[in-house]
């Protein structure tokens, strides 16, 4: 919201404060001021001049020689190159010595042999915003109204000597989206009164009753609670007064004509959007507020045909739509130069309905901005009267008697009971009831004091953000001054914060993966359905969930795996000569078995990782080595070991998108929780990747089985005895099963078991493999004897032979 300092001074006395000081006070009281901008971009010594004569330059076809009365005691001769300069005009004249925004200093000069004693200026040369000016003004000199006083400073005429405060409002402070709202805020801060405009000036008993010529009906009761209209006849559409144009431009709105400008002016003044219809273009002067029919169309004021949907609120004349309520009017009821009768609308539309319509149609307007945040329900009639009064004054209209309106719901005033003790308890202050009442009086909140000292506060409808006691306490805090609130210790019951087990596991996973040399990435939750089809991941049975309103086709579906986007990260880095990439992500996948979604999809938290490239670069101590399956498996097992998880096993698997011989299913207590392995060679080739290894595992079962306790053991005092054995078994037998069986038989005396060799070959026979183990025996209580270790070792070998058909290699 842009607030003009000069305009603001019409409602509240700010004469003792500069714009910068007001900005400081506003910011300290809770409404941040982004910037204070001066409308004067460097204009000095520019006045109003009257062009007496205009003649063609004797030596230049595109130049004119003008005689100008600038109120300096004698006429000035000025050479001008503008096409639209003419005798009888009032124009801005830069005198000798004047300064302009581009740094130009006006000097006495000769143009093609003719002396020029100044410069006739365009709006752009005065530093005015071109975007806010009518096209005819942009292309030539600025022509001022005929009643402008000759010799008057252009700074006063165009209100260039003004400053604009740009408020950065939070969504709850919709009341400050108006000049009166800003005035109430400034008045509360400064402790002064607000001077309201006379909204009913010039409104009396007209010769015509509005109810005889126009009618209003609300069909969509939920979306519109109040609709009011006035009829103004005999209007003359033309330019609005210059002071009004100046204020609109200071607020960032382009002047159009007196009717439209008045509706915009009152919208800025009251925060209540209005709309003016050409009453002769409405069937029988009727208004019906209803929801759109499916497929119904309307050409809006921007000349775009809009296809409407049944949830969109329309203003119709009973036969056709004439406006999208709260968003934009229709071209079929637009006010034009030939308009003589105005039906003026002021209404309370539901903010949610306007917001949804505005976003879906891609139409954002000053009106929709205010309706979205809910307008003041008690400003509907005052704003309507104010605009009608201005139209009578500046458009020559005759206001028909009476307001035609319809209501579906009455506004219920908000009343809140509070005490000074409760306020002090929250804020840690020592405010008296009288001080609290004074603050509410400054806010213009009526207060009734009870016999017990309680205060009953009647909240004005313009402050829709105040509905609870704590809202009033906040008002007291900011008006008392945040700097004046003492620092005090909290009292009462407090609950220390802590992380859940799952949150702790996430942090640990991030730390361990990062410590292992992987970089964490965050990719989009939305993905391309083609990526899901190419790589379904661990959940191939799931159905992709399509978004109702996707940003693009590439982000139109909820992901079922994190790996496709990790591969995109690898590809992005490879395209920039970064071939050695190791990344991971912790995020959610969205799973459902339903093709037609009737329930929310299941969300599963996954840990995914991908590595490719070299484990180590070429060095004099050894050759370069590429990463492999066991690098990623080691990183994962390091994490699992740190979490104290037991019961983890691997089994050969061939999920879609993975290498059929280099992939394992990860199981925890016999239940599959993910996959680890190399990408399928065909998929790698399609993605232009080198050998890439990926991991995707569910975090929830890991978190459930994690053991945070750490067991400390004393260093061993007694020596260990080691034994090796090499067994020939079927190639299909998992090595983990052999390890588990040996550990079970050896019992507590077995300190560790390590696989140090796996061998296959023709000598062993088809479908056979040799696995060599090193077993370390030790007890913390005594020194073991060779006899007891040999006996225990023999039992382990026998158990493996009996269970798996293993043969001991000699």
């Amino acid at each position: 919201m842009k607030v003009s300092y000069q305009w603001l001074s019409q409602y509240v006395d700010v004469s003792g404060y500069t714009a910068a000081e007001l900005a400081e006070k506003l910011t300290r009281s809770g409404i941040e001021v982004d910037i204070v901008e001066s409308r004067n971009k460097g204009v000095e010594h520019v006045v109003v001049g009257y062009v007496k004569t205009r003649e063609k330059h004797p030596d230049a076809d595109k130049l004119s020689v003008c005689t100008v009365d600038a109120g300096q005691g004698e006429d000035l001769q000025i050479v001008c190159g503008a096409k639209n300069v003419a005798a009888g005009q009032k124009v801005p004249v830069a005198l000798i010595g004047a300064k302009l925004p581009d740094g130009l200093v006006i000097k006495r000069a000769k143009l093609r042999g003719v002396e020029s004693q100044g410069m006739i200026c365009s709006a752009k040369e005065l530093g005015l915003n071109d975007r806010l000016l009518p096209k005819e003004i942009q292309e030539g000199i600025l022509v001022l109204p005929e009643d402008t006083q000759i010799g008057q400073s252009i700074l006063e005429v165009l209100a260039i000597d003004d400053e604009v405060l740009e408020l950065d409002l939070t969504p709850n402070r919709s009341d400050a989206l108006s000049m009166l709202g800003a005035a109430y805020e400034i008045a509360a801060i400064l402790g002064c009164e607000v001077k309201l405009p006379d909204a009913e000036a010039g409104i009396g008993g007209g010769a015509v009753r509005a109810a005889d010529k126009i009618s209003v009906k609300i069909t969509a009761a939920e979306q519109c609670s109040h609709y009011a209209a006035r009829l103004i006849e005999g209007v003359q559409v033309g330019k609005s007064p210059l002071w009004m144009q100046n204020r609109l431009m200071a607020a960032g709105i382009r002047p159009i004509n007196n009717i439209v400008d008045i509706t915009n002016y009152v919208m800025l003044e009251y925060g209540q959007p209005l709309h003016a219809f050409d009453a002769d273009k409405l069937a029988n002067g009727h208004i019906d507020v209803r929801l759109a029919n499916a497929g119904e169309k309307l050409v809006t004021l921007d000349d775009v045909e809009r296809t409407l949907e049944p949830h969109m609120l329309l203003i119709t004349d009973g036969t056709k739509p004439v406006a999208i309520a709260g968003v934009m009017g229709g071209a079929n009821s637009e006010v034009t130069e030939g308009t003589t009768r105005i039906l003026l609308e002021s209404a309370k539309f539901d903010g949610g309905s306007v917001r949804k319509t505005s976003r879906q149609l891609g139409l954002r307007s000053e009106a929709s901005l205010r309706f979205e945040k809910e307008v003041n329900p008690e400003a509907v009639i005052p704003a309507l009267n104010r605009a009608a009064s201005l139209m009578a004054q500046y458009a020559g209209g005759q206001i028909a008697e009476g307001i035609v309106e319809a209501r579906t719901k009455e506004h219920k005033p908000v009343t809140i009971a509070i005490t000074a003790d409760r306020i002090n308890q929250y804020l840690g202050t020592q405010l008296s009831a009288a001080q609290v009442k004074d603050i509410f009086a400054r806010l213009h909140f009526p207060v009734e004091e009870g016999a017990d000292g309680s205060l009953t506060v009647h909240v004005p409808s313009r402050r829709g953000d105040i509905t609870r006691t704590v809202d009033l306490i906040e008002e007291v805090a900011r008006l008392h001054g945040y700097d004046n609130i003492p620092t005090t210790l909290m009292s009462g019951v407090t609950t220390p914060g802590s992380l859940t087990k799952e949150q702790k596991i996430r942090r640990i996973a991030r730390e361990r993966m990062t410590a292992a040399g992987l970089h964490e990435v965050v990719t989009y939750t939305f993905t391309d359905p083609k990526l899901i089809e190419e790589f379904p991941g661990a959940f191939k049975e799931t159905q992709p969930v399509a978004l109702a309103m996707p940003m693009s086709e590439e982000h139109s579906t909820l992901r079922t795996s994190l790996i496709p986007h990790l591969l995109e990260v690898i590809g992005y880095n490879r395209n920039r000569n970064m071939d050695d990439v190791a990344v991971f992500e912790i995020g959610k996948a969205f799973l459902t078995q339903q093709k037609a979604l009737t329930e929310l999809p299941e969300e599963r938290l996954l840990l995914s990782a991908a590595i490719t490239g070299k484990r180590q670069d070429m060095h004099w101590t050894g050759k370069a080595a590429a990463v492999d399956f066991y690098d990623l498996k080691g990183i994962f097992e390091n994490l699992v070991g740190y979490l104290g998880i037991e019961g983890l096993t691997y089994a050969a698997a061939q999920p879609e998108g993975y290498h059929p011989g280099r992939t394992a299913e990860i199981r925890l207590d016999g239940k599959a929780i993910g996959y680890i392995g190399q990408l399928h060679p065909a998929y790698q080739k399609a993605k232009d990747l080198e050998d890439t290894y990926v991991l995707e595992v569910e975090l929830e079962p890991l978190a459930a089985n994690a053991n945070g306790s750490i067991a400390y053991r004393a260093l061993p005092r007694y020596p260990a005895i080691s034994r090796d054995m090499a067994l020939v078994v079927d190639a299909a037998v998992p090595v983990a099963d052999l390890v588990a069986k040996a550990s079970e038989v050896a019992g507590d005396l077995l300190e560790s078991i390590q696989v140090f060799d796996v061998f296959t070959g023709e000598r062993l026979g088809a479908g056979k493999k040799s696995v060599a183990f090193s077993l370390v025996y030790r007890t913390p209580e005594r020194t073991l004897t060779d006899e007891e270790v040999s006996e225990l070792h023999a039992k382990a070998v026998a158990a493996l032979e009996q269970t798996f058909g293993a043969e001991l290699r000699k």
Side-chain angles (χ1 to χ4, degrees):
M1 174 69 185
K2 294 184 176 182
V3 176
S4 160
Y5 179 85
Q6 288 189 2
W7 191 359
L8 181 68
S9 65
Q10 301 299 306
Y11 311 112
V12 63
D13 183 10
V14 294
S15 57
Y17 303 90
T18 65
E21 290 171 340
L22 291 182
E24 175 69 15
K25 290 182 177 295
L26 278 168
T27 301
R28 284 184 174 275
S29 68
I31 294 183
E32 183 179 357
V33 178
D34 277 345
I35 190 173
V36 178
E37 184 179 8
S38 174
R39 295 196 69 206
N40 187 350
K41 304 304 180 183
V43 176
E44 294 181 15
H45 302 304
V46 179
V47 299
V48 177
Y50 174 70
V51 182
K52 289 185 171 181
T53 63
R54 180 253 188 189
E55 297 178 356
K56 182 180 176 183
H57 192 287
D59 294 325
D61 293 338
K62 295 184 179 180
L63 297 179
S64 303
V65 180
C66 303
T67 303
V68 179
D69 177 7
Q72 303 303 303
E74 59 182 22
D75 294 342
L76 305 177
Q77 179 176 278
I78 298 177
V79 178
C80 180
K83 295 180 181 180
N84 66 325
V85 66
Q89 293 176 336
K90 298 281 183 69
V91 294
V93 176
L95 304 174
I96 301 299
K99 294 180 181 179
L100 298 178
D102 58 2
L104 178 65
V105 177
I106 304 302
K107 300 178 181 178
R108 194 180 300 271
K110 282 189 176 183
L111 299 177
R112 293 289 185 93
V114 176
E115 184 179 13
S116 182
Q117 299 171 321
M119 175 180 173
I120 300 176
C121 301
S122 66
K124 184 176 182 180
E125 288 165 338
L126 295 174
L128 299 181
N129 189 339
D130 278 5
R131 184 181 62 84
L132 302 178
L133 298 172
K135 187 175 180 181
E136 65 272 12
I137 295 179
Q138 295 178 25
E139 295 177 347
I141 61 168
L142 178 60
V143 180
L144 302 171
E146 295 180 1
D147 59 354
T148 309
Q149 182 181 345
I150 297 174
Q152 186 180 4
S153 171
I154 203 67
L155 300 180
E156 299 174 4
V157 173
L158 299 179
I160 298 177
D161 57 341
D162 191 11
E163 291 182 282
V164 177
L165 291 74
E166 188 164 344
L167 310 185
D168 185 7
L169 299 173
T170 50
N172 63 311
R173 290 306 304 270
S174 60
D175 62 294
L177 281 170
S178 67
M179 293 300 301
L180 287 176
Y184 274 113
E185 185 69 17
I186 291 292
I189 295 170
L190 302 182
C192 54
E193 292 299 318
V194 176
K195 181 182 178 182
L196 298 177
D198 186 356
E200 299 186 11
I203 296 179
V208 176
R209 291 181 68 251
D212 294 337
K213 297 199 173 183
I214 61 175
S215 59
V216 169
K217 175 185 177 183
I218 299 177
T219 302
E222 290 296 320
Q223 291 76 20
C224 179
S225 59
H226 187 192
Y227 192 99
R230 271 196 176 276
L231 179 66
I232 302 99
E233 297 184 310
V235 300
Q236 295 178 352
V237 179
K239 290 184 178 180
S240 57
L242 188 57
W243 64 265
M244 183 177 291
Q245 295 184 43
N246 291 336
R247 291 182 179 180
L248 291 176
M249 288 190 288
I253 294 180
R254 180 169 61 90
I256 297 175
N257 59 50
N258 51 0
I259 301 299
V260 176
D261 290 355
I262 287 170
T263 59
N264 285 332
Y265 180 84
V266 175
M267 175 188 69
L268 292 173
E269 188 173 46
Y270 281 82
Q272 170 65 46
L274 307 169
H275 189 71
F277 296 98
D278 187 328
D280 291 327
K281 296 177 182 178
L282 304 176
N284 301 317
H286 180 61
I287 289 292
D288 183 7
V289 186
R290 64 167 173 83
L291 294 177
N293 299 317
E296 198 166 8
K297 298 180 184 297
L298 173 66
V299 177
T300 47
L301 289 172
D302 55 0
D303 293 325
V304 176
E305 184 178 67
R306 312 282 178 178
T307 300
L308 309 172
E309 295 189 11
H311 66 81
M312 297 178 178
L313 187 64
L314 296 182
I315 309 301
T316 74
D317 64 359
T319 59
K320 64 181 182 298
V322 293
I324 302 173
V327 180
M328 187 173 285
N332 57 0
S333 59
E334 180 181 7
V335 172
T336 63
E337 292 182 358
T339 298
T340 59
R341 299 174 69 245
I342 297 292
L343 187 148
L344 186 61
E345 163 198 285
S346 183
K348 173 71 172 68
F349 301 124
D350 176 66
S353 173
V354 173
R355 183 185 304 110
K356 186 175 181 180
T357 300
S358 174
R359 289 187 178 180
Q360 189 166 342
L361 295 177
L363 272 175
R364 299 284 291 174
S365 63
E366 290 288 339
S368 67
L369 172 68
R370 286 162 174 80
F371 277 122
E372 286 175 11
K373 294 176 172 57
E374 302 293 351
V375 297
N376 177 5
E378 293 185 6
V380 171
I381 298 302
L384 179 67
N385 289 335
R386 172 69 164 158
S389 173
L390 291 173
M391 287 182 186
Q393 187 175 357
Y394 296 107
Q398 290 85 48
I399 304 170
E401 181 184 353
I403 296 173
V404 180
E405 59 183 325
R407 292 178 186 264
T408 61
K409 183 169 59 177
E410 294 291 335
H411 170 67
K412 295 181 180 179
V414 176
T415 301
I416 303 173
I418 197 169
T419 63
D421 288 343
R422 186 171 186 186
I423 294 171
N424 290 326
Q425 183 181 5
Y426 267 78
L427 302 181
T429 53
Q430 298 295 325
L431 297 174
S432 65
Q435 288 175 300
V436 172
K437 285 178 62 179
D438 178 65
I439 289 174
F440 289 141
R442 287 161 53 192
L443 287 163
H444 293 80
F445 289 6
V447 178
E448 296 175 6
E449 187 171 4
D452 58 353
S454 64
L455 302 176
T456 301
V457 182
H458 300 276
V459 182
S461 60
R462 58 184 168 83
R463 292 300 304 273
D465 59 311
I466 299 178
T467 58
R468 303 171 299 166
T469 306
V470 289
D471 298 328
L472 284 180
I473 295 173
E474 182 181 6
E475 293 298 296
V476 172
R478 67 187 192 83
L479 266 297
H480 178 60
Y482 293 122
D483 293 342
N484 297 323
I485 296 177
T487 302
T488 56
L489 292 174
M490 291 186 297
S491 62
V493 178
T494 59
T495 303
S498 64
L499 298 176
T500 64
K501 186 177 181 182
E502 182 181 297
Q503 289 172 328
K504 292 177 182 177
I505 298 304
R506 283 199 208 184
R507 288 196 177 184
I508 292 172
R510 285 191 174 93
E511 291 169 358
R512 303 309 296 177
M513 298 297 279
T514 304
L518 280 72
H519 295 277
E520 184 177 10
V521 299
V522 179
T523 62
Y524 280 109
T525 302
F526 307 143
T527 189
D528 191 330
K530 294 178 182 177
L531 294 180
I532 298 178
E533 187 177 341
E534 293 171 355
F535 193 93
F539 312 105
K540 62 181 180 179
E541 301 300 327
T542 189
Q543 299 293 329
V545 179
L547 301 181
M549 297 178 64
M551 297 183 292
S552 64
E553 180 64 25
E554 290 76 19
H555 300 94
S556 61
T557 307
L558 291 175
R559 64 187 176 187
T560 59
S561 171
L562 279 60
I563 290 176
H565 283 179
L566 292 185
L567 300 181
E568 287 185 342
V569 172
I570 290 177
Y572 181 89
N573 281 272
R574 280 177 52 81
N575 291 338
R576 287 152 181 81
N577 297 321
M578 295 289 291
D579 296 328
D580 306 329
V581 184
V583 293
F584 77 96
E585 180 175 10
I586 297 175
K588 289 184 177 180
F590 301 83
L591 314 175
T592 181
Q593 301 295 327
Q594 300 177 339
K595 290 186 177 180
L597 197 65
T598 58
E599 298 178 357
L600 290 176
E602 180 186 358
E603 300 181 21
R604 293 197 190 177
L605 185 65
L606 304 180
L607 166 64
S608 300
I611 61 173
T612 187
K614 298 185 293 294
R615 180 190 310 122
Q616 67 179 37
D617 291 326
M618 187 179 297
H619 191 262
W620 66 271
T621 58
K623 296 180 180 179
V627 296
D628 60 20
F629 172 89
Y630 296 101
D631 288 296
L632 189 55
K633 182 171 179 282
I635 292 170
F636 177 61
E637 290 184 339
N638 176 275
L639 169 63
V640 171
Y642 189 88
L643 293 174
I645 296 173
E646 298 178 353
L648 197 71
T649 58
Y650 301 88
Q654 297 184 15
E656 189 175 345
Y658 288 84
H659 194 296
R662 300 179 183 176
T663 301
E665 182 181 69
I666 303 172
R667 296 175 180 172
L668 184 59
D669 295 333
K671 182 180 179 182
I673 62 170
Y675 292 101
I676 182 172
Q678 184 181 342
L679 292 178
H680 195 286
Y683 189 61
Q684 286 182 168
K685 185 176 181 180
K687 294 297 181 181
D688 192 24
L689 300 174
E690 296 297 328
D691 286 354
T692 301
Y693 299 87
V694 297
L695 159 75
E696 188 155 78
V697 64
E698 296 182 50
L699 267 184
E700 186 177 343
L702 292 182
N705 287 269
N707 182 4
S709 62
I710 299 176
Y712 293 92
R713 292 185 300 175
L715 292 174
R717 298 175 58 191
Y718 300 99
I721 297 177
S722 63
R723 292 283 190 273
D724 293 345
M725 64 177 168
L727 301 172
V728 178
V729 296
D730 290 339
V733 175
V735 174
D737 291 351
L738 298 174
V739 171
K741 189 64 178 178
S743 299
E744 177 188 343
V745 174
D748 294 339
L749 294 184
L750 181 65
E751 183 179 76
S752 66
I753 179 171
Q754 183 71 35
V755 179
F756 66 85
D757 185 47
V758 178
F759 171 77
T760 59
E762 295 180 359
R763 286 189 304 162
L764 300 176
K768 297 291 185 177
K769 66 181 176 184
S770 172
V771 183
F773 301 91
S774 176
L775 295 86
V776 177
Y777 298 89
R778 192 200 311 261
T779 176
E781 300 171 352
R782 59 185 174 86
T783 300
L784 296 174
T785 64
D786 284 342
E787 290 75 12
E788 63 181 325
V789 170
S790 296
E791 181 183 352
L792 188 60
H793 189 71
K795 287 182 179 179
V797 172
L800 293 174
E801 290 175 343
Q802 182 178 357
T803 305
F804 301 103
E807 297 179 5
L808 187 65
R809 289 180 62 197
K810 304 297 184 181

